[in-house]
């Protein structure tokens, strides 16, 4: 196996494991997991992703472009912006947590430097994260309904609060998922 083959297989593996069965359940149509996994494996250029991290505008263009592309692949009965965005954020988080991709793309292993580099990444939103943000926020956040009803505007509201909370906790907001995931 060559190094290039190894990275292709690792990219495939992370595309598969990033989206578990419960990640986007109840979104109105079967097959979304397969669509997301295949898209991540074949359409997301990881070098472009890591280069976009250095600038908030570039990163938003990257994120919004892929979210829109994913939506075009979803069946008409499952046009969930929230599911597309959550899936993408879960996948990208797996990439930055991967030792091999972090090394390949020179992501820092120092805690503070790492959090500074990935500060524009979003926390994958779901019920648990939303409830954690509501509990930790000093601002009033809209009531969380579900991922199916998540819009770009509502996501931005939650992501803005996540950025504030993450800054107070000295982490990038993508890492807040570790705090809120299956919290007791």
């Amino acid at each position: 196996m060559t190094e290039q083959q190894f990275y292709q297989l690792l990219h495939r593996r992370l595309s598969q494991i990033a989206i578990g069965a419960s990640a986007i359940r109840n979104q109105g149509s079967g097959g979304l997991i397969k669509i997301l996994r295949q898209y991540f494996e074949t359409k997301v250029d990881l070098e472009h992703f890591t280069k976009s991290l250095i600038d908030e505008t570039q990163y938003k263009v990257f994120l919004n472009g892929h979210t829109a592309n994913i939506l075009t692949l979803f069946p008409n009965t499952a046009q969930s912006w929230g599911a597309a965005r959550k899936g993408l954020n879960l996948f990208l988080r797996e990439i930055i947590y991967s030792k091999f991709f972090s090394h390949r793309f020179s992501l820092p292993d120092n805690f503070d430097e790492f959090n500074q580099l990935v500060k524009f990444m979003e926390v994958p939103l779901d019920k648990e994260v939303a409830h954690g943000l509501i509990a930790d926020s000093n601002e009033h956040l809209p009531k969380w309904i579900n991922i199916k009803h998540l819009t770009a505007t509502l996501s931005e509201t939650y992501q803005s609060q996540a950025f504030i909370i993450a800054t107070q906790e000295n982490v990038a907001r993508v890492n807040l998922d570790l705090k809120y995931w299956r919290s007791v």
Side-chain angles (χ1 to χ4, degrees):
M1 176 183 309
T2 67
E3 181 178 352
Q4 183 62 31
Q5 289 170 324
F6 172 80
Y7 281 110
Q8 287 174 334
L9 292 171
L10 182 57
H11 185 153
R12 180 179 184 278
R13 181 178 191 280
L14 294 177
S15 298
Q16 297 295 310
I17 66 170
I19 308 300
S22 66
I24 56 166
R25 67 176 162 240
N26 302 323
Q27 296 305 302
S29 178
L32 295 186
I33 291 173
K34 183 177 180 181
I35 291 167
L36 288 169
R37 288 173 174 173
Q38 185 173 23
Y39 183 87
F40 300 149
E41 181 180 346
T42 61
K43 303 296 184 191
V44 178
D45 180 333
L46 300 181
E47 187 169 0
H48 183 231
F49 158 61
T50 57
K51 286 183 178 179
S52 75
L53 289 172
I54 61 169
D55 179 77
E56 185 174 16
T57 301
Q58 284 181 37
Y59 185 67
K60 284 198 181 254
V61 167
F62 174 87
L63 205 56
N64 290 335
H66 280 291
T67 303
N69 290 343
I70 292 167
L71 274 173
T72 67
L73 301 174
F74 281 0
N76 290 337
T77 57
Q79 286 294 302
S80 171
W81 184 94
R85 188 61 146 241
K86 180 182 179 187
L88 183 58
N89 283 327
L90 288 170
F91 171 67
L92 297 174
R93 184 199 58 205
E94 290 304 316
I95 295 300
I96 64 163
Y97 285 177
S98 164
K99 170 198 182 295
F100 290 101
F101 281 118
S102 289
H103 179 72
R104 183 175 194 185
F105 297 115
S106 301
L107 301 180
D109 56 9
N110 172 280
F111 179 78
D112 292 328
E113 291 173 10
F114 173 78
N115 278 286
Q116 182 63 27
L117 177 68
V118 300
K119 69 182 175 189
F120 302 127
M121 290 184 70
E122 295 181 344
V123 62
L125 290 172
D126 59 19
K127 182 173 103 177
E128 292 174 349
V129 171
H131 288 173
L133 293 172
I134 290 167
D136 286 351
S137 178
N138 292 328
E139 302 290 323
H140 173 74
L141 287 172
K143 180 181 178 191
W144 178 262
I145 299 173
N146 59 35
I147 196 73
K148 192 176 192 177
H149 291 92
L150 183 64
T151 63
T153 303
L154 185 57
S155 176
E156 185 59 38
T157 300
Y158 275 94
Q159 294 296 342
S160 293
Q161 278 305 301
F163 189 83
I164 291 167
I165 293 165
T167 301
Q168 292 167 350
E169 297 203 15
N170 195 38
V171 297
R173 66 182 160 188
V174 66
N175 294 322
L176 290 176
D177 195 36
L178 295 170
K179 177 181 178 179
Y180 300 133
W181 183 71
R182 296 187 183 172
S183 60
V184 182

